[in-house]
Amino acid sequence: METVVAQTPLWVNILLGIIVINLLVWPLTSRWVESHLEIFLLSVGATAVTVSGGWSVDFLYETLKYPVNVAFIVLVVSVIFNNYSRYIFRVLFTFFKALEPRYSFALLIFVLGLSSSLVSVTVSALVLAEVLKVVNLEHRQTVFITVFACYAIGLGAVLTPLAEPMGLVMKQALSEPPYNADFFFALRHFAGWILPGVAVLAIAAGYTARHAGTGLQMYIREDKETYSSVLRRTWHIYMFVAALHLISTGLRPLAQSTIAHLGGKILFFANAVSVIIDNATLAAIEIVPTISPTDLTYMVIGLAAFGSMLVQGNLPNIVAAEKLGIKSREWARVAVPTGLLLMGGYFIALCILL
């Protein structure tokens, strides 16, 4: 789809601003929206595209096709876990028995955060959810560990162009001089920023599991999930991803008008809108070959760190929350303070070291 011209009429930006407010408020205040989040997001996304004038036959086809790969991964991985869980979890049993729970979870989240840059963020989130489903943690502990893990997965995913579109957008946008970005560009330039964040989140997950005790038990599911349940979850995630595509496209004119030309430090905070706009969309708007290395670092770290503050902010959040039955308000109560702390820590470090 062609990029929308940045000269957007004021009335369009006002209406899109109202849509943003609704996206932030209703999932946290309405129980109906919380229970039917994918329907709400689809409706709001369609409204945003209508307001911004983005509908076309090609765009409709693109929207229907966009979630197919993610939904297919969810379906395949779910079927594999459903049919081979006994063998998969025997390996995990050995791992969890060898270490105390705090070390087991810390290592698991650290590995998932790093591996998300080499595989799909969807796979990392599904592995996380499957493990947490067979570990007898309290629901509150599960929510905390899931949020920390999804932040770690979102951070780690930016290190290569494989895991999510943002890395690919960055590589393509900076492929010419002066950056000459190749496959390892993000790994070389941002690993030193990303790895400490992933490590801190892994430690936080381990700390959350510290009261589980050395007697933490896992169990093998004897009852298989029905295929209708697997297909229903796959369909829900398909709708979620389609909704995110609609929202990102519909709100693109507003993003172009308000944040496209900001400096690095302001851009860092402005990228908090990644909780409702896909970070690849923002990256496509913000990254140009003339961007300075300092501004680029502020921008990339901001996009990577903010996305998990709300369920709808990042794909791993949606997959894990859907699988584990975590509601929007439960997520936000943990994820918003976590995101603010992560944001503050990164901003201070960036100001000191850049």
Side-chain angles (χ1 to χ4, degrees), residues 21-336:
I21 293 171
N22 280 274
L23 275 170
L24 294 172
V25 171
W26 285 109
L28 304 178
T29 58
S30 169
R31 292 194 179 278
W32 186 91
V33 170
E34 189 177 35
S35 300
H36 303 83
L37 187 59
E38 70 279 7
I39 297 174
F40 170 76
L41 294 177
L42 277 170
S43 302
V44 172
T47 303
V49 174
T50 302
V51 169
S52 61
W55 287 112
S56 68
V57 174
D58 289 340
F59 174 69
L60 182 60
Y61 173 73
E62 178 186 337
T63 302
L64 294 173
K65 186 179 71 171
Y66 185 78
V68 169
N69 286 342
V70 173
F72 180 73
I73 291 171
V74 171
L75 178 62
V76 170
V77 174
S78 296
V79 170
I80 290 173
F81 269 98
N82 202 33
N83 287 283
Y84 300 100
S85 61
R86 293 182 62 87
Y87 309 103
I88 294 170
F89 286 112
R90 280 199 179 100
V91 176
L92 289 171
F93 288 175
T94 304
F95 169 66
F96 272 82
K97 284 180 180 179
L99 296 172
E100 291 183 28
R102 54 182 173 175
Y103 300 127
S104 300
F105 280 106
L107 183 58
L108 175 67
I109 281 18
F110 187 74
V111 170
L112 288 176
L114 295 187
S115 64
S116 67
S117 64
L118 299 175
V119 296
S120 164
V121 293
T122 306
V123 172
S124 295
L126 281 171
V127 171
L128 168 74
E130 290 288 353
V131 171
L132 290 175
K133 282 188 73 173
V134 296
V135 177
N136 63 338
L137 292 173
E138 296 177 357
H139 182 69
R140 183 172 176 275
Q141 291 176 310
T142 298
V143 174
F144 270 88
I145 291 173
T146 303
V147 168
F148 296 149
C150 286
Y151 270 111
I153 290 169
L155 282 171
V158 306
L159 293 177
T160 73
L162 293 177
E164 63 176 9
M166 178 183 159
L168 183 60
V169 167
M170 179 166 52
K171 175 181 174 295
Q172 292 174 338
L174 301 177
S175 60
E176 302 295 331
Y179 288 99
N180 299 310
D182 57 12
F183 181 89
F184 299 103
F185 173 81
L187 186 64
R188 288 196 303 270
H189 286 78
F190 305 114
W193 295 102
I194 295 297
L195 292 180
V198 174
V200 168
L201 290 161
I203 292 170
Y207 182 79
T208 300
R210 72 194 185 283
H211 293 313
T214 56
L216 180 70
Q217 297 294 319
M218 301 180 70
Y219 65 92
I220 298 176
R221 293 199 314 261
E222 297 294 342
D223 57 320
K224 289 186 178 181
E225 190 176 10
T226 64
Y227 282 105
S228 61
S229 175
V230 171
L231 290 172
R232 183 165 55 250
R233 182 171 58 254
T234 303
W235 172 241
H236 284 174
I237 290 173
Y238 177 94
M239 289 192 290
F240 268 122
V241 177
L244 294 183
H245 182 62
L246 289 173
I247 290 167
S248 294
T249 303
L251 295 182
R252 182 177 293 172
L254 179 63
Q256 287 178 315
S257 299
T258 54
I259 68 174
H261 308 293
L262 299 176
K265 292 181 180 179
I266 300 175
L267 196 61
F268 179 87
F269 290 103
N271 279 333
V273 298
S274 64
V275 301
I276 53 174
I277 302 179
D278 179 59
N279 57 16
T281 299
L282 293 172
I285 293 169
E286 297 169 8
I287 297 178
V288 293
T290 55
I291 191 172
S292 71
T294 298
D295 285 353
L296 178 65
T297 302
Y298 274 106
M299 188 221 74
V300 171
I301 300 303
L303 286 177
F306 275 116
S308 291
M309 291 179 77
L310 298 178
V311 168
Q312 63 266 34
N314 221 349
L315 183 57
N317 313 353
I318 292 171
V319 172
E322 173 72 21
K323 184 81 174 177
L324 296 168
I326 301 173
K327 300 296 185 182
S328 299
R329 274 176 285 190
E330 287 182 305
W331 187 281
R333 277 195 292 267
V334 177
V336 171

